[in-house]
Amino acid sequence: MAGLCVVLGILPARGEPARQQSEFPVATDMRIEQHGETVGLSLALSEVVPVEAWVQAAPDRVIVELPSTNFQIQPSARKNAGFVSGYRYGLFTTDKARIIIDLSQPATIVKAEARTARGGLGELTIELRKVGRAEFLAEAAKVRPASRAMVAPAPPRPAGETRRTIVIDPGHGGIDPGTVVASIAEKSVVLNFGLALKEQLESSGRYRVVMTRDDDSFVPLADRVRIGQDEKADLFISIHADSLTQAQEVRGATVYTRSERATDAEAAKLAAKENEADAAGGLETSEEVQDVAGILIDLARRETRTFSGVFARNLVDKLGASVRMHKIPLRSARFWVLSAPDVPSVLIELGYMSSPKDAALLTSAEWRGKAVGAVGAAVDEYFARERASVGQAAENRHAP
Ligand code: ZN
């Protein structure tokens, strides 16, 4: 059986408009079972859909791609069996969903298909068989569909636009839930925060806000960076809420900027984890593009980092006045998503999902209101200072 296994069900008619989430096929009743050398997974579907599946090495997993699907998997579903150490599912792009199956030992795809089951509903069946390392690697090397998530280009910056452009980047999304603690997913916490921040900033009339995602879809890191650059953003604000520690007493918000050398080991570890987001979505492991060298780029980068630092300090001031901060609230590390040389960029970790107290705050509307207000105030101060310093420079020029 080929590594690329394409089984077609009923294809949607060409030119059919994109479906709304409420119209997505619904997947329920996940089952996973081991029989000797094989592991079978099955899902009940509200209709038969086209399915593609292939294997990927390092990390070793099976990617199953379907049209957008509304996953309503029972929480009690078994999570592993035999060489399958786990799986996750979610939207990958606006019109595709994925199931990613993690392998603890090499395996190949015997079957991946959706067919009509009893009662006219659909059933998705995936059958995997244990193989040797060499066979697995040969399968993984075969041609497969471009596993690249595409982001619809944002409308161009309107001519004559005088408002400042701010790009808000809610971390993770779709197939990549980020940190999950007690069934709260980071991806939803940060999306809610991002949408509330957009509303707050837009209500002032001074800012044009672009979101890297405004729904539960997966956006590769490189695309997030590119959106900031394409929009010629004046600020790029990435929103996260991870936890690296099991220590429940570690709490508070932290503001990060980009630097080649991390300020501390925890910051380095966090950046490494965030830089893995593409792998969580089933993209080929991608290396960050090497920083472009050159005197002009270096100058731009240095200036951008200065601006990022100014904004980060404003954030620590304003956030610190209204919400609890981590004991070291301003740190830096090599975050890929903050790598645009021409866009001042910061990453806010809203709190630690591992802390029950932080987790309760992160999902509270009252806390969110306070934190969003503080970020809005930091943005206002950043641009007010910039205007003041430009005004000062102009005055100096006109001085006799
Ligand atoms: Zn995160």
Side-chain angles (χ1 to χ4, degrees), residues 40 71 94 123 160 165 236 240 289 305 312 317 322 328 347 362:
F71 290 96
T94 47
E123 186 184 35
T165 297
F236 179 94
H240 287 260
V289 178
R305 285 191 183 173
D317 282 354
S322 49
I328 314 167
L347 185 146
L362 292 172

Side-chain angles (χ1 to χ4, degrees), residues 172 186 240-242 274:
H172 313 279
E186 180 187 356
H240 287 260
D242 282 78
E274 300 295 9

Side-chain angles (χ1 to χ4, degrees), residues 13 17 38 57 79 87 157 188 207 214-215 283 285 293 336-337 373 383:
T38 67
K79 304 289 186 297
Y87 56 82
R157 192 175 182 143
S188 351
Y207 309 111
D214 56 12
D215 60 13
L283 288 194
T285 313
W336 181 352
V337 80
F383 290 114

